[in-house]
Amino acid sequence: MPLPDTDVMGPEAAQPGRRLSELAEKAVLCSRDCCGAGTTVSGVRGDDRATAVTHPDLASVVAVQLRSGDGPIPAALDSGLPVDAEDLLSDERWPAYRAIALETGVRSSVTLPFTRGDLAVTLSLFSFRPGALRDVGHGPVRVLGDFAASCLVRDRHYRAALAEVDQLETALRSRPVVDQACGILMHLCGCDADEAFGILRRISQGTNRKLHEVAAGVVHSRGRGVERDFAALKAS
């Protein structure tokens, strides 16, 4: 079975939901007795959380664990080891998870954790039969999980790079306006360029407005009122 194609990196490929869906779908195909799968990803501090399931009924099975912090997924993340529930009819470790899983017809599950740096991924496989998933933690399913976790890390770095480029482009576009505003302040306040920029920054912080917005206002008004505003900030 071919692995997901990661040669082309575009905005769609960098979406964690798409990557998680691919992992869940391909993991099901790797296991003969698997009736469905669910995947999660989050930063180690709980940020950037996303989930995917192969069937709508499994969404509640995953959600109850994330909501309560109790179940195979939290247990696997805490221990860093696979967590196997061979027969939920007799397994009483996680009452809320067990109740919803049995309600959907799930009798057994196994959850595999994959950690890469500050990113944590889980892959949960479900079966209608007890004890049917004992060996899925090895072989193709683990290879898929390892591969997907590495791809998600690369996707995250890609999104971070795009955000940085966007910030740089915004800074470059706003630089001429900031320079003009500094020139006006230097003339009005009799200060040098560093002091003029400091005034803009203080006004930006004190009024909770972006620096380029403050600069555009100074240019538009030719600096009228800036001295009064800055004096008020210094007095506060």
Side-chain angles (χ1 to χ4, degrees):
M1 180 183 60
L3 293 174
D5 180 10
T6 60
D7 291 336
V8 179
M9 290 295 294
E12 291 184 1
Q15 296 302 315
R18 177 185 173 188
R19 190 75 72 188
L20 291 177
S21 294
E22 289 178 348
L23 171 58
E25 291 165 3
K26 291 181 182 298
V28 171
L29 296 176
C30 284
S31 178
R32 181 182 58 190
D33 296 310
C34 180
C35 67
T39 52
T40 71
V41 61
S42 65
V44 294
R45 295 180 297 277
D47 57 331
D48 287 354
R49 174 171 286 178
T51 64
V53 292
T54 56
H55 191 280
D57 288 350
L58 295 174
S60 59
V61 178
V62 172
V64 69
Q65 300 179 68
L66 301 181
R67 186 169 56 248
S68 67
D70 192 34
I73 291 175
L77 290 174
D78 286 344
S79 67
L81 299 171
V83 175
D84 196 351
E86 292 198 3
D87 189 354
L88 288 167
L89 203 59
S90 58
D91 194 328
E92 300 180 353
R93 285 177 289 178
W94 314 288
Y97 166 72
R98 176 194 183 204
I100 291 182
L102 290 174
E103 186 178 319
T104 62
V106 170
R107 281 288 299 274
S108 62
S109 68
V110 62
T111 298
L112 309 176
F114 306 90
T115 302
R116 296 289 185 279
D118 62 349
L119 208 63
V121 179
T122 67
L123 169 61
S124 298
L125 300 181
F126 307 97
S127 177
F128 294 137
R129 297 174 51 232
L133 302 170
R134 288 191 186 96
D135 300 323
V136 299
H138 310 284
V141 170
R142 176 161 289 282
V143 172
L144 272 174
D146 283 330
F147 182 79
S150 297
C151 289
L152 282 162
V153 170
R154 188 170 73 173
D155 294 347
R156 196 183 202 197
H157 291 164
Y158 177 75
R159 294 196 306 274
L162 286 180
E164 185 174 350
V165 168
D166 186 61
Q167 291 172 358
L168 288 172
E169 288 179 345
T170 300
L172 287 173
R173 287 194 300 269
S174 64
R175 180 60 185 268
V177 176
V178 173
D179 286 345
Q180 290 180 55
C182 284
I184 292 172
L185 291 177
M186 290 167 66
H187 175 72
L188 290 176
C189 302
C191 59
D192 60 24
D194 289 340
E195 291 170 330
F197 184 78
I199 292 173
L200 288 177
R201 187 169 55 189
R202 284 284 303 277
I203 295 174
S204 171
Q205 294 170 346
T207 60
N208 198 27
R209 294 156 58 201
K210 293 182 179 179
L211 183 67
H212 70 86
E213 293 176 354
V214 173
V218 170
V219 172
H220 180 73
S221 67
R222 296 293 189 270
R224 289 189 295 272
V226 171
E227 292 171 297
R228 181 184 65 252
D229 293 341
F230 186 59
L233 283 174
K234 288 195 296 185
S236 62

